[in-house]
Amino acid sequence: MEIVLRYQINHANIVPFSGICVEAPNVCQLTEFYPKGSLENVLSAHKVPLDWDVKFSILKDIARGMEYIHGSSIGSHGRLKSSNCMMDNRWSIRIGGFGLEIVRRSPKISENISNPTSMLWTSPELLREHFQLDDVMPGTKPGDVYSFAIIISELCTEEHPYALERNVLSTEEILILLKNLEDPANRGLRTTWISYGGSPTDNMRPAIHKSQLPVEPQEQRGLVQLMASCWKEFDALRPTFKEVLTQLNSIKPVKGDLVDILIKRFVDASKELQIEKERLEELLGRLLPKKIVEDMIHGKKVEAEQFEMVTVCFSDISDFVSMAKELSPYEVINLLNGLYMCFDTIIENFDVYKVETVRDEYMVVSGLPVRNGYMHASEIAMLALNLMAAIILIARYTSVNRLLMLRIGMHSGPCVAGVVGLQMPRYCLFGDTVNTASRMKSSSTALQIHMSEATTNVLKIVGGFQYEYRGEREVKGRGKMKTYWLRGADNFTKPLPNPKLAVSSELQQYK
């Protein structure tokens, strides 16, 4: 008869009964398998963060299942606890571990006195009458409500019941205080509990910190009141599960299935992750070339690469050292910040990559990591002309209130480029082309664009640029080199600063 009654139990929040074996010593029942395990498993693993939307949904599932059991032929559960609340694939709770006395009495299933922890969910009035969980039998309806309150405390702390109290009291001592806190024989245990934060006027119950409760004041207040009513010392004063469910719906009136809530939350989180992903890619794009960032995102190995022909450009303020002596550190920073913000805006219009800025030196390159034929020289040349033209406008807005003595140098040739570093990765260039471009800049003069013969030859192929032969120059590390001044371009109409306005050569820094 007992098996028939259990088989007839059918509810969305009850573990369905599939079969039973009554032949000793293999007495057991067959139920569905739940990969997520029990609520106890989920809470103790701490692998899945549970917010209060999920926790309230869990409590409602348990209340609905228990309301059904209390209205069924089973009558009551008797051993309601988190380990008997199974979690299915839809994050819904299914209650098991009740009924079928023949199974519970099996030696393999029996939860005897050797495991006092299993009694921590048992109500005080049942603890006074029974010494082990098997003796509780189906328990009582008020006893189940008390057990529900202990599960609420588990969801708050995300730990086993009385986790805090068990720092100073054993499980057996906690059970003694639960049975009779006021017994004079228990005075020493009671004093220990009170000294550790227990209330001298309240009954022994799990300690819960305010930070472990819901954040919303209404939810926090409602949950505390519900918990207090469910674990009242006198069983007749405890609510029914129908009343519990009504209170839960009043505290947290969430509509819809938990999976729907989780899907919506996942969609919202995905949108936030996409925004963060775009921000991260934008940040990486400021440190590394776009193509390199895309390769890294797609898991491709970024190795150093040889480029046959690129154009490297350096610029600086020729009299920066003498000028900086006249300014405060804050004025120097503001000056360079304004200058580089202007330059960064300009380079967005060209196929170039800003390699780095060091003090007043600004380095860019074209032709890598994406090759662009002969256009690397023309892209750098047009950029240089626009930077030089911008100096006229920048002079009106800087704190120095004077024309900045910008000088530019560029050279074309082969180089090797690759990502260097892990914590602060940089896309770096290596090779003689970089050194020569730097020499073109340092051997230039203020308000002039200086370029090597190699760059000039590429510009001749592209066409449309005006340049002037400077002559042969002794370049450190390279010997004599033919160099040129870039004077303009056919489609460039912006005014350039007159080199005659440059400061005296004594104030310019040459390398």
Side-chain angles (χ1 to χ4, degrees), residues 88-384:
D88 65 17
N89 289 328
R90 293 180 61 83
W91 291 89
S92 294
I93 293 295
R94 289 176 174 261
I95 301 170
F98 63 92
L100 298 179
E101 187 63 25
I102 186 174
V103 176
R104 289 192 300 184
R105 281 297 182 182
S106 168
K108 288 188 177 181
I109 306 297
S110 179
E111 300 181 75
N112 54 39
I113 195 64
S114 63
N115 184 19
T117 302
S118 63
M119 300 288 284
L120 290 175
W121 288 262
T122 307
S123 62
E125 68 274 9
L126 293 175
L127 284 175
R128 297 184 191 108
E129 298 175 5
H130 307 290
F131 293 100
Q132 60 186 42
L133 190 59
D134 289 332
D135 296 335
V136 175
M137 304 295 280
T140 63
K141 293 179 180 180
D144 288 343
V145 175
Y146 176 92
S147 301
F148 178 76
I150 301 300
I151 293 178
I152 296 178
S153 75
E154 287 183 89
L155 284 169
C156 291
T157 63
E158 297 190 6
E159 294 184 281
H160 284 98
Y162 301 98
L164 185 64
E165 289 79 2
R166 281 194 279 179
N167 289 324
V168 293
L169 297 171
S170 67
T171 302
E172 291 82 357
E173 290 172 335
I174 291 173
L175 292 173
I176 290 172
L177 291 177
L178 283 170
K179 292 176 184 178
N180 196 339
L181 184 66
E182 300 298 331
D183 190 334
N186 301 332
R187 184 176 301 168
L189 296 179
R190 184 171 181 267
T191 302
T192 301
W193 174 59
I194 293 173
S195 65
Y196 200 68
S199 172
T201 58
D202 293 336
N203 293 303
M204 181 74 174
R205 297 295 183 266
I208 300 172
H209 192 270
K210 186 176 181 181
S211 62
Q212 297 170 324
L213 295 166
V215 176
E216 292 295 327
Q218 179 182 348
E219 295 176 6
Q220 184 179 117
R221 187 166 50 251
L223 189 68
V224 169
Q225 292 173 353
L226 174 63
M227 194 160 37
S229 65
C230 288
W231 64 27
K232 281 184 178 294
E233 187 71 15
F234 298 105
D235 58 354
L237 298 178
R238 296 171 197 156
T240 64
F241 272 107
K242 183 176 182 180
E243 294 169 333
V244 167
L245 194 56
T246 300
Q247 290 183 56
L248 284 171
N249 287 326
S250 175
I251 297 169
K252 190 74 173 179
V254 178
K255 296 181 180 180
D257 187 83
L258 176 59
V259 172
D260 297 330
I261 297 171
L262 292 176
I263 290 174
K264 181 180 182 301
R265 188 175 302 156
F266 176 77
V267 171
D268 294 339
S270 297
K271 291 178 181 178
E272 293 178 5
L273 285 174
Q274 181 62 32
I275 293 172
E276 290 301 317
K277 178 176 177 289
E278 292 172 358
R279 288 176 181 171
L280 177 59
E281 291 178 4
E282 181 183 356
L283 178 61
L284 284 173
R286 296 177 182 177
L287 299 174
L288 304 169
K290 183 177 179 181
K291 180 180 180 300
I292 301 299
V293 172
E294 291 175 351
D295 288 346
M296 293 176 70
I297 290 173
H298 290 93
K300 296 181 181 178
K301 188 176 181 179
V302 181
E303 296 181 344
E305 187 175 359
Q306 171 79 40
F307 295 89
E308 297 75 18
M309 184 66 75
V310 301
T311 298
V312 180
C313 171
F314 283 89
S315 69
D316 70 1
I317 308 300
S318 63
D319 63 336
F320 179 77
V321 173
S322 59
M323 183 178 65
K325 292 179 181 179
E326 302 173 1
L327 303 174
S328 70
Y330 291 104
E331 289 175 320
V332 172
I333 291 173
N334 290 334
L335 170 65
L336 292 178
N337 187 50
L339 177 67
Y340 292 152
M341 285 179 64
C342 176
F343 283 9
D344 289 347
T345 301
I346 293 172
I347 68 172
E348 291 178 359
N349 301 312
F350 299 93
D351 182 16
V352 300
Y353 170 66
K354 183 175 82 170
V355 181
E356 64 180 356
T357 56
V358 179
R359 205 174 62 169
D360 64 317
E361 191 170 75
Y362 195 87
M363 177 185 177
V364 294
V365 63
S366 181
L368 60 79
V370 179
R371 294 168 175 82
N372 57 3
Y374 291 114
M375 298 306 295
H376 53 85
S378 62
E379 289 292 314
I380 289 293
M382 288 303 297
L383 171 65

